Amino acid sequence: MREDAWAHLAQGVLSAELVERSSAEIQRQLRLMQLAAPLVAVLSGALHAYGMALRKRHGKAPYWRQQGWWIGLLMDLLGGLAFSLAAPLMAVELLVPLTAVAQLATAFLCGVCLFQERSTVMQQLGFVLSVTAVVLLGSATFSQRHFHVAAQHGTARFWKLWLKPHFLCVHAFWLGSTALCFLLISHATSFAVLSAYFDGMQFLFTRTIAAILEVSLKLEHVLLVQLAVGKAFCAIAAIHWQQHALGEEDLTTIGGVLPLLQNLTQASLGVSFFGDQLQLTPSVVLAAASAPLGLYLLAQTPERRASLRRASSSTETVARA
């Protein structure tokens, strides 16, 4: 009996030691993963930018028949996967700006080194302003509300939310911005705005699915199909218009414009649709002020500047005559 008692005691001590060692090992691995998360976030942004570079190089119509274009799209998907892996291990206030800045910087370097693109001083200033706006907007504090309307009220109630006046105003703002950019800045900038708009829309579908699954694993079949179709359509539209922008403009310009626009569309559509509360801090005001100026300066390519000078000189000649 004593031997059995000692055997049970030894077994208990050994089990406790194994549990303690297992817990310590898990903690150590978790710390290593947290240390690696910023590197994974940077890798995510770099993969997105390099994917854009490949899709620009192999983007001649019909671009979907080019093998290199699909490799670029695969790079984009790998960038999204890396972002998903880093998301649970980092604060979103650090993850979003770090990924966006890495994408901005890599796109700028790819444009200069791979495509031999020239950049003006105005574009370089626009790049700095865009990075500033992305960092400030990414670090802004959002108070997210739990979105369970679709789970509680079904398909009809979900689509009624799309008719909310302030949500429709946000749609009108982005579609109006697309038209103004087309008329006043450049066609490529308007395509980039349209691509970011659809990217923000597919963000709504993605977050809705995630919010519903938090409540219940049972998702209404009709609504699931509608959300999946909506997300797929918006993702394809975003890629299509992004390709048009890459085909008409330098990578240094589009690579600087897109991350900023995507942050702006996701934030504005998310706030208006889900009812998130954005704290109006000085950093948010500064981001709102620097973003449009940065977008305008990034569009001032050497070719556009030369075209404006030629138009100005021809106007002066006509006036003198």
Side-chain angles (χ1 to χ4, degrees):
M1 294 293 292
R2 287 184 179 179
E3 292 178 358
D4 291 342
W6 281 111
H8 284 299
L9 179 61
Q11 186 178 4
V13 171
L14 182 60
S15 299
E17 289 181 357
L18 290 175
V19 170
E20 186 176 351
R21 287 180 184 178
S22 177
S23 178
E25 182 67 20
I26 292 174
Q27 292 295 326
R28 187 178 69 84
Q29 292 179 358
L30 182 60
R31 284 195 295 269
L32 289 176
M33 292 171 63
Q34 289 173 337
L35 289 174
L39 297 177
V40 177
V42 171
L43 177 64
S44 171
L47 285 172
H48 279 305
Y50 190 64
M52 288 174 60
L54 287 176
R55 286 189 287 113
K56 178 176 176 62
R57 172 159 289 182
H58 302 280
K60 295 181 180 179
Y63 58 84
W64 55 85
R65 294 184 180 178
Q66 307 293 327
Q67 183 179 3
W69 186 89
W70 287 101
I71 295 174
L73 184 62
L74 178 61
M75 290 288 182
D76 252 341
L77 295 175
L78 290 175
L81 177 62
F83 184 88
S84 300
L85 292 174
L89 302 170
M90 291 180 65
V92 68
E93 292 84 0
L94 178 62
L95 174 64
V96 172
L98 187 61
T99 305
V101 169
Q103 183 176 346
L104 284 162
T106 305
F108 192 86
L109 290 174
C110 286
V112 172
C113 299
L114 297 181
F115 296 97
Q116 308 300 316
E117 296 173 354
R118 296 176 299 155
S119 63
T120 63
V121 175
M122 294 181 70
Q123 281 185 294
Q124 293 167 7
L125 179 59
F127 177 80
V128 173
L129 288 174
S130 296
V131 170
T132 302
V134 165
V135 172
L136 293 175
L137 186 64
S139 60
T141 302
F142 290 87
S143 177
Q144 294 188 351
R145 293 183 179 178
H146 294 289
F147 183 70
H148 305 323
V149 173
Q152 295 170 352
H153 302 287
T155 305
R157 175 59 177 160
F158 170 74
W159 290 110
K160 283 182 180 179
L161 294 175
W162 290 69
L163 300 177
K164 293 190 298 184
H166 54 287
F167 185 58
L168 293 176
C169 287
V170 174
H171 283 283
F173 170 79
W174 285 113
L175 294 176
S177 298
T178 301
L180 287 175
C181 288
F182 190 88
L183 295 173
L184 302 178
I185 301 180
S186 68
H187 295 178
T189 304
S190 69
F191 294 150
V193 174
L194 197 56
S195 172
Y197 166 74
F198 279 108
D199 187 76
M201 292 287 289
Q202 71 99 13
F203 162 75
L204 296 184
F205 288 108
T206 302
R207 184 173 160 186
T208 301
I209 294 173
I212 294 172
L213 292 178
E214 283 182 8
V215 179
S216 173
L217 294 177
K218 295 180 180 179
L219 186 62
E220 186 180 337
H221 178 69
V222 175
L223 180 58
L224 175 60
V225 172
Q226 291 175 353
L227 292 173
V229 170
K231 176 177 171 59
F233 171 79
C234 290
I236 293 171
I239 292 171
H240 176 74
W241 290 112
Q242 186 181 128
Q243 191 62 45
H244 277 285
L246 290 170
E248 294 202 11
E249 193 59 271
D250 291 344
L251 182 63
T252 50
T253 300
I254 299 303
V257 164
L258 265 178
L260 176 57
L261 287 172
Q262 288 167 347
N263 276 271
L264 290 172
T265 53
Q266 290 180 12
S268 59
L269 289 169
V271 167
S272 60
F273 187 75
F274 296 108
D276 296 341
Q277 300 297 320
L278 172 62
Q279 296 182 9
L280 196 62
T281 60
S283 62
V284 173
V285 175
L286 184 58
S290 58
L293 181 58
L295 293 174
Y296 174 78
L297 293 176
L298 277 169
Q300 305 307 305
T301 61
E303 293 78 10
R304 177 171 172 75
R305 300 290 295 171
S307 176
L308 290 174
R309 283 195 293 269
R310 287 195 298 269
S312 177
S313 61
S314 61
T315 302
E316 291 178 0
T317 303
V318 171
R320 289 173 183 173

